[in-house]
Amino acid sequence: MSTVDEKKIPTPHIEAGAGEIAETILLPGDPLRAKFIAEKFLADPKCFNEKRGMLGFTGEYRGKRISVMGTGMGCPSMGIYSYELINFYGGRNLIRVGTAGAMREDVHVRDLVFAMGSCTDSAYLTQFRLPGQFAPTADYTLLRTAVDAAEKRGANYHVGNVYCSDVFYGAAKPEIGVQWKDMGVLAVEMESAALYANAAYGGARALALMTISDSLVTGEATTAEEREKTFVEMMEVALETAAAVTD
């Protein structure tokens, strides 16, 4: 297990003590989705965080110790929580379980999308001051394991690039969608680039797994409650992946 410097915890954003968070962590944006996953799937879940309303729980799934915690929306919020989980709490396998908007006709509502790579308009990556453009990518072991889990379930899924945007409401959104679509990008979301960059910087593994909640192509959309409680296939694929990679 990774060594944790207890002097650094609790952090400004997470009130857990040493050892309360597992090395493998599911990261939904919505803290209520974290609560739903913990109560529905984890054995004996214990709440380790309520600070700022960002709920976090640790329990067991198939005999493996797993945590789940909300991250909020956007690269800055994901950046804070994933950084603290990796560098202060010893997180080693971080799996985003979120939603995304389809950008292509062949990607449908409720399909799963595995972000092999994350294109972005976010300035988040500039902090690393690299002499070029960093390509945020998923960990191959997590990606392969998750795809295998989806295959076994017979899930409808897609693997490829996503577009990680800082903008949810944008004046040029339709035009931008067409441009990224022309480059083969599957869907748009708001957290994967920060997660992948922080994992790379901290020596951890990360995967962004999303359910398509709406389509920029057809206009079809799910409700907020459906996004919180009914995207069970994504949750189960993520948990099977988490159990498979946890010692």
Side-chain angles (χ1 to χ4, degrees):
M1 178 176 285
S2 302
T3 301
V4 177
D5 183 352
E6 295 186 25
K7 294 180 181 178
K8 295 183 178 179
I9 55 177
T11 70
H13 309 94
I14 304 174
E15 60 191 357
E20 292 187 57
I21 304 177
E23 289 190 350
T24 300
I25 312 157
L26 270 58
L27 301 174
D30 184 354
L32 292 180
R33 189 182 301 132
K35 183 174 185 289
F36 176 81
I37 292 171
E39 293 178 347
K40 183 174 179 63
F41 295 107
L42 297 185
D44 194 27
K46 298 288 193 305
C47 182
F48 63 75
N49 192 70
E50 294 181 317
K51 185 177 287 187
R52 297 173 182 258
M54 201 58 70
L55 302 175
F57 304 84
T58 298
E60 288 193 357
Y61 181 80
R62 298 195 185 281
K64 300 297 181 66
R65 192 164 179 264
I66 307 293
S67 293
V68 55
M69 181 178 182
T71 63
M73 294 178 286
C75 282
S77 189
M78 169 60 85
I80 289 170
Y81 287 105
S82 61
Y83 185 93
E84 292 185 358
L85 289 168
I86 293 167
N87 294 286
F88 298 157
Y89 288 98
R92 285 297 168 260
N93 302 300
L94 287 78
I95 303 173
R96 164 162 156 65
V97 281
T99 58
M103 302 181 84
R104 291 182 7 179
E105 293 85 352
D106 60 332
V107 180
H108 305 290
V109 169
R110 296 187 179 275
D111 284 0
L112 302 184
V113 169
F114 300 92
M116 182 167 59
S118 178
C119 310
T120 188
D121 63 3
S122 177
Y124 189 86
L125 303 182
T126 61
Q127 66 174 303
F128 299 102
R129 299 186 180 183
L130 297 166
Q133 296 183 2
F134 178 72
T137 58
D139 173 77
Y140 176 71
T141 297
L142 290 180
L143 177 61
R144 181 188 63 191
T145 304
V147 170
D148 286 346
E151 287 273 6
K152 290 178 182 178
R153 296 181 59 85
N156 294 321
Y157 71 90
H158 310 265
V159 180
N161 276 344
V162 299
Y163 169 45
C164 181
S165 178
D166 274 347
V167 177
F168 188 87
Y169 299 106
K173 193 172 181 179
E175 291 82 358
I176 290 174
V178 170
Q179 291 171 336
W180 287 107
K181 171 189 169 184
D182 288 346
M183 295 300 291
V185 172
L186 299 171
V188 58
E189 52 86 62
M190 302 183 71
E191 290 83 35
S192 59
L195 173 61
Y196 287 178
N198 278 359
Y201 186 71
R205 304 193 294 193
L207 173 66
L209 161 58
M210 282 81 65
T211 299
I212 295 298
S213 58
D214 58 285
S215 173
L216 278 67
V217 180
T218 67
E220 184 181 1
T222 56
T223 67
E225 184 175 5
E226 286 176 314
R227 299 177 195 201
E228 176 189 329
K229 297 180 178 179
T230 70
F231 291 170
V232 172
E233 187 168 58
M234 167 183 67
M235 301 171 193
E236 292 179 335
V237 168
L239 286 163
E240 291 294 332
T241 303
V245 300
T246 301
D247 294 331

